[in-house]
Amino acid sequence: MENCLFCKIITGEIPSKKVYEDEHVYAFHDINPNAPVHVLVIPKTHIASMNEVGADNIEAVSRVLLTIPKIACELGLAESGYRVITNCGDDAGQTVKHLHFHILGGKQLPLTLA
Ligand code: AMP
Ligand code: ZN
């Protein structure tokens, strides 16, 4: 997808601090972390947001979800806990229109989200 920041991160056109990569999934450290550990996990295929998740791309989304606990474990978060967030659309504050799941952890996270 042209002009998609995260598609450019996947190709390496824009540099990132890689945490994990396989054929279908890419994960990297957030450039502006909101917690001691803040990693973004994305499908390699361009899906704009949760609004576009459907039967045609559920395998790609599933591969991302299956990878999240593995990454969390490797980051040392499995025991202490972590939060997984995906923002969809303007009211949620989605700034990059390529589906991504935030993994946040490494401290007691605030409960005030709404
Ligand atoms: P969201 O607000 O849910 O769309 O999340 C987008 C996230 O992407 C934010 O937490 C940003 O800090 C992060 N981000 C933006 N540009 C980059 C980049 N070049 N490398 C890593 N993370 C980025
Ligand atoms: Zn993209």
Side-chain angles (χ1 to χ4, degrees), residues 24-100:
H24 305 282
V25 178
Y26 192 82
F28 54 105
H29 289 283
D30 197 292
I31 204 167
N32 186 22
N34 288 313
V37 179
H38 188 170
V39 165
L40 302 173
V41 191
I42 63 177
K44 284 194 170 176
T45 54
H46 182 86
I47 301 168
S49 76
M50 279 301 296
N51 277 340
E52 280 68 45
V53 172
D56 57 328
N57 57 26
I58 194 63
E59 187 175 340
V61 176
S62 297
R63 288 180 187 278
V64 172
L65 295 178
L66 286 167
T67 305
I68 286 173
K70 293 181 191 166
I71 294 171
C73 190
E74 281 177 18
L75 293 169
L77 300 176
E79 290 296 319
S80 52
Y82 56 96
R83 183 171 293 156
V84 179
I85 294 174
T86 186
N87 295 318
C88 179
D90 291 341
D91 278 0
Q94 183 183 8
T95 57
V96 180
K97 310 300 188 205
H98 181 126
L99 181 67
H100 52 282

Side-chain angles (χ1 to χ4, degrees), residues 1 4-8 10 45-47 97-99:
M1 181 64 70
C4 171
L5 175 67
F6 287 175
C7 283
K8 288 179 180 172
I10 291 163
T45 54
H46 182 86
I47 301 168
K97 310 300 188 205
H98 181 126
L99 181 67

